[in-house]
Amino acid sequence: MSPKSSITKNADYHHGNLRNALIEAGRNALKDVSAQDLSLRYLARMVGVSEAAPSRHFAGIDELLATIAASGYRDLAALRVAIRDSDDTALAKAYRMMRVYVEFAQRHNGLFGLMIGPRIVAHQAYPELTEESNRSFGLFSETIEALAIESGWAPADLKLVTHAAWSMEHGLATLLLANRAPRADTKVAIPKLIDFVLMTLLSAITAGPDHLQRVIQQCMLSEKPVVTRTARKRAKA
């Protein structure tokens, strides 16, 4: 396999220039090839340096891929910082936080696949990747928790609420990228689907814990349901 084009042939890289060029080359390559197809040799040819040159900055392809994934989370976090710092309501911020995740996945399919996929086995082995991933998720969770608190959820229930929202945005994004949603036998517009899914989840959060308790009681589940601490306290009152 040969790269479509070289970013900078025969460039005289100094200091961090080669490192940055390799990261950029990797991001560009992911638009056309999978992470499994990337190698240091492939990216060295894209940049126009010797096959040995990347080893000055990266111990191997796994370290380079982890750095590329970290750059993706850094970009996502920057988008989320702008949402956090806006004058929107808590509900609007929560909606935008979830939507920007789905839109990022749609715009950067290959990069997103590297960020969340199995190619990088041990995320915790790469501090930069862990830091940037945690920062992006922290911005998201703080926003969702702010909406949950405003809607009457107890502090003990906030992680449940956050994980529900995370599951919704991530599941939707991965289904869209895999062309599994919307189903081929249905006529559903993707933008409308995204809005409906996210707003349905947000409507459940804003309805509050009392509404969840009523739903649990009406479902009459055969197995013991997951009941939040807030719901238990209110049920005893």
Side-chain angles (χ1 to χ4, degrees):
M1 181 186 307
S2 60
K4 290 185 175 181
S5 63
S6 171
I7 292 178
T8 310
K9 287 291 187 182
N10 301 318
D12 182 18
Y13 290 104
H14 297 286
H15 306 296
N17 292 346
L18 176 56
R19 183 180 187 277
N20 294 335
L22 289 168
I23 295 170
E24 188 63 26
R27 290 180 59 129
N28 286 331
L30 287 169
K31 298 174 184 177
D32 302 309
V33 301
S34 69
Q36 285 72 19
D37 293 325
L38 290 185
S39 66
L40 290 180
R41 176 182 297 180
Y42 180 93
L43 295 176
R45 290 205 306 271
M46 281 192 71
V47 174
V49 297
S50 70
E51 295 179 5
S55 63
R56 303 171 193 165
H57 299 279
F58 300 99
I61 187 61
D62 287 345
E63 183 178 346
L64 174 54
L65 291 177
T67 305
I68 293 171
S71 75
Y73 280 112
R74 189 178 301 113
D75 289 351
L76 179 58
L79 296 171
R80 285 177 155 172
V81 165
I83 295 170
R84 180 199 64 187
D85 295 343
S86 71
D87 294 328
D88 285 342
T89 63
L91 176 57
K93 286 183 179 181
Y95 165 75
R96 291 178 61 198
M97 279 283 179
M98 298 180 71
R99 179 148 193 132
V100 79
Y101 185 88
V102 178
E103 291 175 342
F104 185 91
Q106 291 177 303
R107 284 197 311 272
H108 307 285
N109 191 334
L111 176 60
F112 183 78
L114 174 65
M115 292 161 59
I116 59 93
R119 179 60 182 84
I120 304 172
V121 178
H123 278 224
Q124 299 300 322
Y126 304 100
E128 182 183 6
L129 175 55
T130 300
E131 178 182 354
E132 296 298 342
S133 173
N134 288 346
R135 180 165 177 261
S136 176
F137 187 80
L139 290 161
F140 164 77
S141 63
E142 288 170 9
T143 304
I144 297 299
E145 288 181 7
L147 176 63
I149 292 172
E150 182 181 280
S151 303
W153 295 88
D157 297 329
L158 296 182
K159 298 307 178 187
L160 284 174
V161 176
T162 298
H163 276 72
W166 179 36
S167 299
M168 188 67 79
E169 68 169 9
H170 184 75
L172 177 59
T174 53
L175 283 171
L176 289 172
L177 295 192
N179 293 319
R180 299 291 301 278
R183 288 179 56 88
D185 57 354
T186 61
K187 294 181 179 180
V188 177
I190 291 178
K192 187 173 182 178
L193 174 64
I194 294 172
D195 276 343
F196 186 84
V197 169
L198 301 185
M199 290 180 181
T200 298
L201 182 281
L202 292 172
S203 69
I205 295 176
T206 56
D210 286 345
H211 177 71
L212 174 61
Q213 179 62 17
R214 289 193 295 272
V215 170
I216 291 173
Q217 292 172 346
Q218 292 172 18
C219 284
M220 301 293 290
L221 297 177
S222 57
E223 296 182 3
K224 186 177 181 181
V226 176
V227 183
T228 67
R229 188 169 301 181
T230 298
R232 286 196 296 268
K233 287 182 178 179
R234 293 173 186 265
K236 293 178 180 178

